[in-house]
Structures are given as C-alpha cells and as structure tokens.
C-alpha cells in the first residue's frame, strides 16, 4: 500500500473505530465499515485536513470506498 | 388516572458515578467541590466547581468508556455521555430491558437539560471564526441538541415510546420526572426513562453565570466551604455537572413483572413567577403555588410531608425566599418537617438538579434518613423547620417533596410517597 494509502487507512480506523484489517481498498465506508452519511462527511473533512486539499462536494460523492479515497488523494494531496 | 411508581435509579454526580456511591458520600457530608483545573480560571470571579471525579471506573470514578464507545463520545458533548451512563444504570436497576416490539413501544424517554452542549458550541464557534464553515463537523448539531440525550438513550436501548425532552433551566429535571409520570398516568406509555443532564463547566458557562452574579466568589481558596445554603456567609451557587435518571413505571405493570418499587409519584405541581428573568419573586409566591399544586394533586395534607429537598442553591436572596414560601405552606406543621439542600454537597447541576434531588428524596424514604445541609454553620434566619445542618438525620420519612426553581421564573415540585407492601 502506498504511503498515502497508509495515511488514509489510519484516518478511517480512527474515525470509524474499525479493525485495521477490514480497511482494504475495496471496503465501502457505508456497506462494509458501518459508517452513516454523517460519518462519511466527517471522513472527507479529515482527509482534507490530513492532505491539505479541498474535496469538493461533487468529488466527495464519488468517494465510496477506501480505494476511491486513496486514488483521489494520490492525485490531489498537497501535503 | 393510572398510578406511577419509580422502579430504577441512575446517576453520575460530582460525588461519584452511581447511586450508591453518591448517596453514601452525601450522607457522610462530603463535598464535590474543587478548584477548576481543566481550563484557565485566573480571570474568572468564580474559580471552583463541583466536578465529576473521572478515572478508570474504580472507587466511584466515572469512566466514560464504560458508558459510550470512544468513537461516539467524540461526536457529543458530555451531557449526552452523562445521560447515557445514568440511563443505563437506571434501566439495569429496574431490570427493564424491553425486547419485544410491544414493550419497546410502551417505553419512552424524557431527558432534559438546561443548556445542552455549551462547550461544543463555544469551541465550534471559534473554529468557524478561525478556519471557516468547511471545518464544522457534521456532528456539531446532533451532538449539542438538548433532546439528543433522549435520542441517544432511546437508540441505545431500543425505546420506541414517546421521545421527548424538557428545557426549563434549573427546573428541568423535576419537570422531566413530573411530565414523564403524566405520560404514564394518561396512558401514552407504560414506562418512561426520565431525568436531566448537564455539562456547563467550561469557560463560557462560568463566565456567563459569573456575569449574572449567580456564582460563589469568596471561597476560591476553600471550595468545599462555598456551597452553604441558608448559612449567613453564603454568596452564590457552585456550578455542578452530571445527570440523574429514573425509570418511571405504571403501578400494575411494575407489580405484574415483580419489579422492586422504590416509591410512588403522587404529586406534581408547576407554576410561573411572571416576575424577573433570573430573580425569584420576593414573596415566594411562585414556589408556594407550585408546592400547593403538587399537594392538591397528591390529595394529601401539608402535615403529611416529612422531608423536603429544597431548591436551596446557596444564593443570597433565593434561599430565604424559598424558606419563606415553605413556612407559609406548612404553617403549624413546620416543626415536624426536615428540609435540606443537597446542593451543599453536589453543587448546582442546573438541568440535572431536579432529577438527582428527586432521587435523593426517594433514597431518604427508602432509608428513613434526611441527607444533611453541609456547611450550614450559622443559619441566616431562624426557622421552626429542621434544616438538617451538617449531619444526616435518621427519622421516619414516608412522604417527600422536591422543589426546583429556574431562570425565567419556572417552578416545579414533585411529591413521592412510600408504597405500602
């Protein structure tokens, strides 16, 4: 897993309180990791904070899995 | 109307986590007050508060992880965590864990708070100013709303009956119990999880109550002496935090399942002062009318009252106004009544005060003992009423009345009675 992927995973584990081994690229935040719609908003905020970038609402709507987040941030991360 | 009894108790207070811990320490005359050490107080006139002892859960300490998942705690202000702790204790104590759809729908929630998530509002408004709206958490609103104490408790325990809340400043806890009992009496529910919760100890809360000249300011170096209702050297209340929750239950429902019954809620009275936003009416008429209404509803004589848990916050004017109203109410029966203010030990828990004090009244009946008014060394006025100074008093107590009066001129009185076996 990429360095960005590791950081994404750490944030997901912290915010959703899930076992690290469940946080794989294909894991859906809502279907597999127990997040609700408010959790996903907060996750996106945490990604913005960690990676120093803005994730517009229309982009946020396409980030459904751990892999989606990693892919987006590998392109857009500023820190 | 249907009869309503109390079958479960739960609390988190500045004296500790749990009913037994708190009650034992109250009867021992302990105080929960200390110098505030969790935020800067040097520029505050009042630098003390009655603070819940946090710890790993041993020796009566409060360990939030035992009551709410850490990842959920992050989303809410402390008043919701306190309510979760007190509610689970009360439901366990009542041994009421509804599992059928029918039982779930017959069980409701009515937990109030005076202010709700003040510290979260303060912190988030700073965040908004410094970093803009995109940094405001989606959990900001649901984690601060007062009725979310009821909301979280109902979700945790699957309670699908009435889901309600009360906001009447320092009368909140008493109103919640009184209104919860009415919902049962009128048939809207068979069981209600009712009470109050509060977490006001933050810089903004202290600054606000200091500005209103409500807090004690002369005892910053002797915090445990600061809350001294009826004493001539009192100078304001001591802020407190915590929650009290009771399980109210329809009498036949409780009998049928063999529940342990603490007492019956026989009277509830409400009134308004229509006088001033923070000061009680000098003639004490509001408190007098709420007590009178509760007595009328209970169908008892004033001489039936054995114990009164006073609102008695330790403010200069409030204590004597209440005392005058109680004397007027009792008349010749004054000399047989014991009246104490447990706020001398717990401080003032605002929206939770009426709930924990109803619980102390229930325990006073259970154990036939009046909890003390600690620090009452020199009463500021003479009265025929026993104010239970300094030490608890063993005496027969079958009927107890608990008073709560709040900003806005809102008054509530609850009367409970021992249930004959």
């Amino acid at each position: 897993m990429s360095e960005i992927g590791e950081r994404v995973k750490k944030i997901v584990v912290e915010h959703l309180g899930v076992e690290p081994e469940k946080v794989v690229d294909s894991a859906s935040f809502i279907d597999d990791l127990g997040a609700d719609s408010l959790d996903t908003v907060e996750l996106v905020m945490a990604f913005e904070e960690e990676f120093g970038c803005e994730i517009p609402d229309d982009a946020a709507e396409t980030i459904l899995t751990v892999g989606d987040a990693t892919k987006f941030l590998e392109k857009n991360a500023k820190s | 109307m249907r009869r309503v009894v109390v079958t479960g108790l739960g609390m988190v207070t500045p004296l500790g986590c749990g009913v037994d811990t708190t009650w034992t320490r109250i009867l021992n005359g302990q105080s929960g007050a200390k110098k505030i050490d969790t935020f800067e107080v040097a520029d505050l006139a009042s630098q003390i508060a009655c603070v819940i002892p946090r710890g790993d859960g041993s020796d009566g300490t409060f360990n939030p992880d035992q009551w709410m998942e850490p990842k959920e705690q992050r989303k809410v202000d402390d008043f919701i965590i306190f309510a979760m702790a007190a509610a689970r204790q009360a439901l366990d104590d009542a041994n009421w864990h509804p599992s059928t759809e029918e039982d779930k729908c017959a069980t409701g929630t009515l937990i109030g708070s005076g202010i709700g998530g003040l510290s979260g509002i303060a912190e988030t408004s700073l965040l908004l100013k410094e970093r803009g709206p995109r940094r405001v958490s989606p959990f900001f609103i649901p984690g601060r709303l007062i009725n979310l104490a009821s909301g979280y408790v109902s979700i945790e325990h699957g309670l699908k009956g009435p889901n309600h809340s009360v906001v009447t400043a320092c009368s909140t806890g008493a109103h919640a119990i009184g209104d919860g009992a009415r919902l049962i009496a009128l048939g809207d529910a068979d069981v209600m999880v009712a009470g109050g919760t509060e977490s006001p100890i933050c810089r903004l809360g202290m600054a606000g109550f200091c500005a209103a000249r409500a807090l004690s300011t002369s005892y910053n170096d002797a915090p445990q002496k600061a809350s001294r209702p009826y004493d001539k050297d009192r100078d304001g209340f001591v802020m407190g935090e915590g929650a009290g929750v009771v399980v109210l239950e329809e009498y036949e429902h409780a009998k049928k399942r063999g529940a342990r019954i603490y007492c019956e809620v026989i009277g509830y009275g409400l009134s308004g002062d229509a006088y001033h936003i923070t000061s009680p009416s000098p003639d004490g008429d509001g408190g007098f009318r709420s007590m009178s209404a509760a007595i009328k509803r209970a169908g008892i004589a004033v001489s039936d009252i054995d114990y009164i848990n006073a609102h008695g916050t330790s403010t200069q004017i409030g204590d004597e106004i209440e005392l005058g109203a109680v004397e007027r109410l009792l008349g010749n029966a004054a000399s047989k009544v014991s009246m104490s203010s447990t706020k001398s030990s717990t401080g003032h828990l605002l929206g939770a005060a009426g709930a924990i004090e109803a619980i102390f009244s229930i325990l006073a009946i259970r154990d036939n003992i009046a909890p003390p008014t600690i620090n009452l060394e020199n009463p500021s006025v003479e009265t025929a009423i026993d104010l239970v100074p300094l030490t608890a008093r063993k005496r027969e107590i079958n009927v107890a009345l608990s008073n709560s009066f709040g900003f806005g001129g809102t008054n509530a009185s609850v009367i409970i009675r021992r249930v004959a076996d």
Side-chain angles (χ1 to χ4, degrees):
Chain A
M1 198 178 272
S2 67
E3 182 251 341
I4 282 184
E6 287 295 340
R7 284 157 70 194
V8 166
K9 182 171 168 175
K10 187 159 172 280
I11 288 169
V12 172
V13 168
E14 273 170 20
H15 279 262
L16 300 183
V18 289
E19 301 293 323
E21 48 272 23
K22 286 191 180 158
V23 186
V24 293
D25 274 353
S26 61
S28 154
F29 297 124
I30 289 177
D31 296 334
D32 301 318
L33 300 177
D36 62 22
S37 59
L38 297 182
D39 289 319
T40 60
V41 174
E42 198 189 40
L43 261 185
V44 167
M45 287 172 61
F47 294 145
E48 289 182 331
E49 186 79 7
E50 168 73 17
F51 295 99
C53 61
E54 191 167 311
I55 305 176
D57 287 351
D58 54 351
E61 280 165 23
T62 67
I63 298 177
L64 304 175
T65 66
V66 176
D68 293 342
T70 304
K71 230 178 285 168
F72 179 89
L73 291 163
E74 280 170 346
K75 273 188 218 145
N76 297 285
K78 297 212 168 60
S79 59
Chain B
M1 289 214 292
R2 309 197 301 168
R3 294 172 67 185
V4 181
V5 294
V6 179
T7 55
L9 310 175
M11 59 170 52
V12 185
T13 76
L15 293 171
C17 183
V19 171
D20 292 340
T21 300
T22 299
W23 184 233
T24 301
R25 290 175 182 175
I26 290 254
L27 294 180
N28 287 341
Q30 288 174 242
S31 162
K34 57 183 276 197
K35 185 103 171 180
I36 293 169
D37 59 9
T38 47
F39 53 85
E40 181 60 51
V41 293
D43 54 357
L44 291 169
S46 180
Q47 305 174 354
I48 58 175
C50 286
V51 180
I52 291 172
R54 271 95 168 159
D56 62 5
S58 62
D59 193 30
T61 56
F62 174 65
N63 177 359
D65 295 353
Q66 292 177 338
W67 309 102
M68 199 173 192
E69 293 262 342
K71 81 176 174 79
E72 293 299 316
Q73 290 174 37
R74 268 194 314 112
K75 302 173 184 173
V76 302
D77 262 49
D78 281 353
F79 77 102
I80 290 176
I81 308 174
F82 300 159
M84 290 288 273
R88 198 201 301 161
Q89 291 169 26
L91 284 161
D92 286 350
D93 189 41
N95 192 25
W96 180 244
H97 300 288
S99 56
T100 67
E101 191 67 9
E102 188 186 356
D103 285 346
K104 287 178 178 183
C105 291
T107 307
T109 321
L110 206 174
I111 301 171
S113 179
I115 308 181
L118 193 57
S119 67
I121 292 171
E123 287 161 15
T124 307
S125 63
L126 290 176
L127 188 71
L128 175 67
K129 185 166 163 49
E130 286 163 9
R131 305 195 53 200
R134 287 187 64 84
R135 305 316 312 162
V136 174
S137 164
F139 300 107
F140 167 60
I141 296 294
R144 320 276 100 66
L145 288 181
I146 284 175
N147 74 297
L148 263 283
S150 282
Y152 268 97
V153 166
S154 73
I155 293 165
E156 171 84 0
H157 299 281
L159 312 181
K160 297 185 174 180
N163 188 309
H164 203 355
S165 190
V166 179
V167 183
T168 50
C170 308
S171 297
T172 297
H175 276 138
I177 291 173
D179 290 346
R182 290 225 167 139
L183 290 175
I184 294 171
L186 293 171
D188 297 284
D190 291 331
V191 182
M192 289 296 296
V193 178
T197 184
E198 201 75 66
S199 54
I201 304 175
C202 61
R203 257 175 83 74
L204 184 59
M206 293 298 291
F209 280 97
C210 278
R213 301 292 185 269
L215 298 177
S216 169
T217 56
S218 306
Y219 295 89
N220 288 334
D221 295 321
Q224 305 211 332
K225 291 283 173 195
S227 187
R228 42 195 317 119
Y230 311 108
D231 189 85
K232 70 176 178 55
D233 295 322
R234 68 183 183 275
D235 73 332
F237 76 76
V238 178
M239 190 86 96
E241 61 175 353
V245 170
V246 299
V247 173
L248 301 167
E249 190 164 349
E250 194 271 324
Y251 177 67
E252 296 298 338
H253 189 276
K255 288 285 274 188
K256 198 170 150 193
R257 69 181 187 91
R260 182 238 353 254
I261 293 172
Y262 283 101
C263 63
E264 180 172 358
V265 180
I266 57 170
Y268 171 46
L270 315 78
S271 74
D273 276 5
Y275 173 72
H276 186 267
I277 51 172
T278 60
S279 287
S281 166
D283 59 9
D285 193 57
F288 175 81
R289 284 183 289 108
S290 82
M291 288 187 279
S292 300
I295 284 168
K296 186 179 171 195
R297 176 69 62 183
I300 61 171
V302 289
S303 56
D304 292 327
I305 296 171
D306 300 303
Y307 172 69
I308 296 174
N309 189 295
H311 184 57
T313 58
S314 190
T315 57
Q316 275 293 350
I317 60 166
D319 288 6
E320 283 177 30
I321 291 173
E322 180 184 14
L323 184 57
V326 171
E327 286 175 330
R328 179 180 160 203
L329 177 87
L330 295 176
N332 293 332
S335 61
K336 70 171 279 281
V337 171
S338 294
M339 174 167 98
S340 58
S341 169
T342 43
K343 288 190 181 78
S344 56
S345 289
T346 63
H348 190 357
L349 273 63
L350 310 181
I356 65 166
E357 289 159 17
I359 293 172
F360 297 145
S361 303
I362 291 162
L363 297 170
I365 289 174
R366 182 191 71 181
D367 297 344
N368 280 309
I369 191 165
T373 306
I374 66 168
N375 295 321
L376 177 48
E377 288 156 353
N378 301 294
S380 61
V381 287
E382 279 195 26
T383 177
I385 299 168
D386 164 33
L387 295 175
V388 204
L390 306 177
T391 52
R393 187 177 322 288
K394 283 295 282 183
R395 56 157 295 163
E396 187 178 3
I397 299 177
N398 292 308
V399 176
L401 180 154
S402 183
N403 273 337
S404 295
F405 310 139
F407 281 3
T410 173
N411 312 299
S413 303
V414 174
I415 300 178
I416 51 176
R417 180 168 63 195
R418 184 188 304 279
V419 175
D421 289 328

